[in-house]
Amino acid sequence: MGWMNKLTGATPTLRPLVSTPPPKQEPPATAPPATGMPTQDEFVASTPPPTGAPLITPPPGQPAQNLAQDSADIANMLSTRGPIAAAETFRNILLTHAKDGSYGWDPNYGDKLAQAAYPSLQQLGKVLGDRVAKDKDDDEFAEFGLKDVTSKTLEHLAIAAENMGPEGQRTLGKAVAEGLPNDDDLNQFDDVLDDMKDPKKGNPKGAALLAGATISELQVQGKHEAANKLLLDHQPLSPPVIQVPSNNPPSQNLERDAASIADAMAKGGAGAASKQLLAIMNSHAFDVAFGLDPNYAEKLVQAAQPTLQEIGKTLGDRIVNNKDDSKPVEYGWKDITRESLEELGKVMQKVGPEGQKTVARALAEGLPDKSDLNQFDDRLRKMQGHRYPEGNPVGAALLGGGVMAELQALGKNKAAEALGDDHPPLDSRRWQPGMTLDQARNAHLTNTPAEFAEAVKNGNNWFEADLQLQDGKFVMSHGGEADKLGMSEWLIQANKLGVGMKVDVKFDSPKLEGPAKDEALRKMLDDIEKAGVPSERLMFSVSMGESDALLRERFRERFPNATMAINSPNEKSLSEGDVNGMVAAAERAGQPATFIVNYSAVKKDDAATRAAIEKLHMGGKATISVWNSPTDLGDSVYTPSKETQKLKDRGLNGMIDLRAAPSWIRYPKEFVRNL
């Protein structure tokens, strides 16, 4: 490890490689490493010989760029002292080369080192994956007498990711992704990355780079369950590297696949059959890329309907006989209700309305008409959370809402009522063609996974988020959120629900102006068009100037039925000049169009306000939408439902999005008394 002896005052102060002493009892020399890691001899035998002298002779005291030596040092630490030491060695080598470019040396050394050390990085990925698969806890001693293997390894790799370029990050992400299982329960792996997002105690930038690279490579490798789990809190590197596999997907054979699902039911029960159905759908993820039937998943649930009905009967029997998930029953399995519903929730996300109806109908037929649904509704309720290990709010909404609607159709009103408190029927939350904006129930903030999950739970039929461009990526952020959603993930999840999507174009954190803003608007339209959202379910909230910029990008041609929402330039009033400018912008934008005004500007019912409202109607060609700031004393509303109706009666006929004032405004005396 000659590089360590060449550190000078110009390089970072590094922590010791391992903070704990070596284990007292070493394994016998003939025993293979417990983790399956390569020995030093195995590594050397499989590694090309050194390429000779370093690229450039270093100044006195500076470590040389020597890929063979550095990669061998990492492998040696892996085989002799374990994964934490190897990850820390990798990190430290990169830190010592952080200023290589200033000496005229190869600035891409970090990327090349990731390639040279790839066998060791693969082994680190396997160690992390093994800890996920076997549910190993960081509090327990593991190989080499170490604790905290997952957390410390990921912390070092996150710092390493900060000190490489995109190619090195992608190489690191690939190695980690290869080792992870395709599972939506990643044990402590995702928990550690989530904790690292804390700017006070963690490493938000490193966590974003490491998680983003891992997500992108998980998607490439078809490990969509693991990728989707990480996507709850992180975003893929931009642009994500999505590649179609070189081999064709399995042939589309409904009879064979339906028989396979039935066989899983016969041999392993409802949970096994649900898993098999989802696995087959996942194997056909790239069908469209090869010109195969894009509706295969939809047809598969139809072909597998008899097995789905058997699953419904099993779940219904568990309700009737009060069977507990914690106790082994048929086939020696536990958690039958949990596993079946979790897998079927993911199935619901992969099929369209007809397929969703088929799955929901099969379950509803099997359920008893009881107000106590045992663990069935409890499990769906837990799936609504965004951080619960089994959390899948979109899948829970689709499955719960679908079953609730089918229970109603079957006349099972007690069971329907039991589900209805948490899962409104699917059609009630979907934004259907022909609906008018005064029917909108808008969720004002859905920028984070928690806000998105809350909107799903509340049954809103419009989701609003604030669009920013940060570090070259489109993200949803009102400012300061640590776990903001990426635009692509926001669009995908909202589109699955069938809700309206209001994109509030901010571009103010950081602020974009001039050509940079025009380019961002162009790219935004390109990305949204690729998402395939029906244009009647889109609304773009923009300023007058931004609306003209969108029109230059063929907005109406690309999104003929999207609503152009033009914001008033003044939140507190509607001057004649502002109204004229808004109307002129709407004339240029074409229909459908709505005007976004603040409650403060229209709450007073006087002649001037009435005249402004009449002009903004544009003879019936436009609507007027209203929002408020609940913490603004001049803009607060105590009873939103009553005030909403008043506004509608006065001709404000668009999306009325009034939020209730907080308790400290509504009850100031009680608030002060409780301080």
Side-chain angles (χ1 to χ4, degrees):
M1 302 206 298
W3 63 272
M4 291 190 64
N5 299 323
K6 299 177 182 178
L7 301 180
T8 68
T11 57
T13 301
L14 305 179
R15 291 168 48 193
L17 281 176
V18 180
S19 56
T20 56
K24 294 180 180 180
Q25 295 183 346
E26 297 289 346
T30 57
T35 59
M37 302 173 191
T39 64
Q40 174 66 3
D41 290 339
E42 289 171 338
F43 176 85
V44 171
S46 62
T47 304
T51 56
L55 295 176
I56 296 179
T57 302
Q62 290 298 317
Q65 290 188 336
N66 191 318
L67 292 173
Q69 178 64 54
D70 288 345
S71 60
D73 286 343
I74 297 166
N76 180 53
M77 295 304 291
L78 182 59
S79 62
T80 60
R81 301 183 72 175
I84 297 176
E88 193 166 8
T89 301
F90 182 47
R91 179 202 78 165
N92 287 349
I93 293 173
L94 290 171
L95 288 174
T96 64
H97 288 283
K99 297 183 179 180
D100 280 0
S102 64
Y103 295 102
W105 300 354
D106 184 355
N108 299 315
Y109 186 73
D111 293 354
K112 294 177 179 178
L113 178 60
Q115 292 287 345
Y118 191 65
S120 297
L121 297 179
Q122 283 181 306
Q123 291 300 321
L124 290 178
K126 289 178 181 178
V127 170
L128 295 171
D130 179 71
R131 295 181 64 77
V132 171
K134 296 180 179 177
D135 198 26
K136 295 183 179 180
D137 196 302
D138 257 11
D139 291 335
E140 300 173 357
F141 287 98
E143 301 83 0
F144 301 91
L146 300 174
K147 294 169 64 175
D148 302 322
V149 173
T150 298
S151 59
K152 289 183 178 179
T153 301
L154 289 178
E155 287 168 9
H156 296 321
L157 293 181
I159 296 173
E162 290 184 273
N163 289 277
M164 295 185 290
E167 287 305 314
Q169 292 160 1
R170 189 166 292 122
T171 300
L172 175 59
K174 182 179 180 182
V176 174
E178 285 179 351
L180 291 180
N182 186 26
D183 197 328
D184 62 356
D185 182 357
L186 296 179
N187 192 12
Q188 294 181 316
F189 184 92
D190 54 326
D191 296 335
V192 171
L193 287 172
D194 193 32
D195 290 342
M196 287 167 59
K197 290 164 60 178
D198 185 344
K200 294 182 180 179
K201 300 182 293 183
N203 177 8
K205 181 180 178 182
L209 292 172
L210 179 58
T214 303
I215 291 169
S216 293
E217 293 302 324
L218 285 169
Q219 291 173 325
V220 170
Q221 296 168 25
K223 297 181 178 180
H224 299 295
E225 302 307 322
N228 289 340
K229 179 62 175 176
L230 289 179
L231 279 168
L232 292 174
D233 296 295
H234 307 276
Q235 296 304 312
L237 290 184
S238 181
V241 186
I242 308 296
Q243 298 174 353
V244 175
S246 56
N247 297 323
N248 288 0
S251 62
Q252 293 184 337
N253 187 320
L254 290 174
E255 183 178 355
R256 177 202 62 201
D257 289 344
S260 172
I261 298 163
D263 185 59
M265 182 74 194
K267 294 179 179 177
S274 302
K275 284 180 177 289
Q276 181 69 1
L277 173 59
L278 181 63
I280 292 173
M281 287 186 173
N282 285 337
S283 72
H284 287 279
F286 292 97
D287 280 1
V288 178
F290 291 93
L292 300 177
D293 184 355
N295 299 313
Y296 186 72
E298 198 91 5
K299 293 175 180 177
L300 179 59
V301 294
Q302 297 289 343
Q305 186 177 14
T307 305
L308 289 169
Q309 289 174 321
E310 289 299 316
I311 294 172
K313 289 177 183 178
T314 298
L315 297 177
D317 176 73
R318 295 179 65 75
I319 294 171
V320 171
N321 294 302
N322 198 28
K323 295 182 179 179
D324 195 302
D325 255 10
S326 63
K327 298 176 181 177
V329 283
E330 301 89 353
Y331 308 96
W333 279 39
K334 298 197 300 184
D335 300 321
I336 292 175
T337 299
R338 176 183 68 81
E339 289 191 349
S340 300
L341 293 180
E342 286 176 9
E343 302 304 297
L344 292 178
K346 296 164 190 170
V347 166
M348 293 288 274
Q349 294 175 266
K350 295 180 178 296
V351 294
E354 287 304 313
Q356 291 166 356
K357 183 178 178 66
T358 300
V359 175
R361 183 79 175 190
L363 296 194
E365 288 175 349
L367 296 185
D369 188 18
K370 294 179 61 177
S371 56
D372 182 359
L373 296 179
N374 192 13
Q375 294 181 318
F376 186 92
D377 52 336
D378 295 338
R379 180 52 52 185
L380 284 173
R381 194 175 298 115
K382 288 182 178 180
M383 285 168 61
Q384 289 180 317
H386 74 288
R387 289 190 184 279
Y388 192 81
E390 295 85 5
N392 178 5
V394 174
L398 294 173
L399 186 59
V403 173
M404 192 271 187
E406 294 303 320
L407 287 169
Q408 287 180 324
L410 292 168
K412 297 183 177 182
N413 297 320
K414 291 180 181 178
E417 186 176 350
L419 281 183
D421 290 341
D422 295 304
H423 308 283
L426 284 185
D427 285 346
S428 72
R429 71 162 73 242
R430 287 184 172 128
W431 189 249
Q432 308 281 8
M435 295 179 74
T436 55
L437 277 182
D438 61 344
Q439 298 173 274
R441 300 187 307 278
N442 188 47
H444 192 82
L445 292 172
T446 60
N447 296 308
T448 68
E451 291 169 347
F452 194 99
E454 185 67 19
V456 173
K457 184 177 179 180
N458 291 338
N460 294 93
N461 59 9
W462 273 87
F463 285 22
E464 178 177 349
D466 305 288
L467 183 64
Q468 308 281 3
L469 183 64
Q470 297 177 353
D471 298 325
K473 305 176 203 172
F474 287 121
V475 297
M476 302 323 218
S477 172
H478 200 269
E481 302 96 338
D483 54 350
K484 46 188 170 278
L485 289 167
M487 184 182 74
S488 60
E489 179 66 9
W490 183 82
L491 288 168
I492 290 169
Q493 296 300 329
N495 195 27
K496 289 174 181 174
L497 288 168
V499 299
M501 288 157 262
K502 181 181 177 184
V503 181
D504 192 351
V505 182
K506 294 289 189 186
F507 292 157
D508 58 4
S509 178
K511 189 173 182 60
L512 298 180
E513 295 179 306
K517 187 171 187 178
D518 289 343
E519 175 62 19
L521 290 169
R522 181 195 64 75
K523 183 68 165 57
M524 172 196 76
L525 292 181
D526 290 345
D527 288 359
I528 293 177
E529 187 175 24
K530 291 174 185 175
V533 179
S535 64
E536 64 269 15
R537 290 203 265 116
L538 286 170
M539 178 187 294
F540 295 85
S541 178
V542 294
S543 67
M544 290 184 281
E546 289 166 343
S547 68
D548 289 334
L550 294 184
L551 292 176
R552 291 194 291 271
E553 298 297 333
R554 302 181 296 108
F555 173 81
R556 277 292 167 219
E557 178 184 337
R558 299 161 74 179
F559 304 96
N561 299 312
T563 299
M564 182 79 83
I566 299 171
N567 283 268
S568 170
N570 192 328
E571 288 187 4
K572 302 302 181 184
S573 64
L574 279 175
S575 69
E576 184 177 0
D578 289 343
V579 169
N580 290 337
M582 293 162 68
V583 169
E587 291 282 9
R588 295 191 296 271
Q591 281 73 52
T594 192
F595 297 109
I596 307 289
V597 299
N598 187 265
Y599 174 67
S600 297
V602 295
K603 68 178 180 178
K604 195 182 221 182
D605 188 12
D606 56 18
T609 304
R610 289 193 292 272
I613 291 173
E614 182 178 358
K615 192 161 192 176
L616 289 174
H617 277 151
M618 296 176 60
K621 293 192 293 184
T623 59
I624 306 171
S625 298
V626 184
W627 67 283
N628 75 321
S629 298
T631 57
D632 186 337
L633 290 174
D635 200 22
S636 56
V637 173
Y638 287 15
T639 52
S641 59
K642 290 182 180 179
E643 195 59 33
T644 294
Q645 190 56 52
K646 289 180 182 178
L647 292 175
K648 289 182 178 180
D649 292 342
R650 291 171 50 203
L652 293 145
N653 56 348
M655 179 187 288
I656 310 301
D657 180 19
L658 298 182
R659 292 169 290 163
S663 59
W664 61 267
I665 290 180
R666 288 180 289 166
Y667 312 109
K669 292 182 180 179
E670 289 83 349
F671 179 78
V672 172
R673 188 163 48 243
N674 292 328
L675 288 176

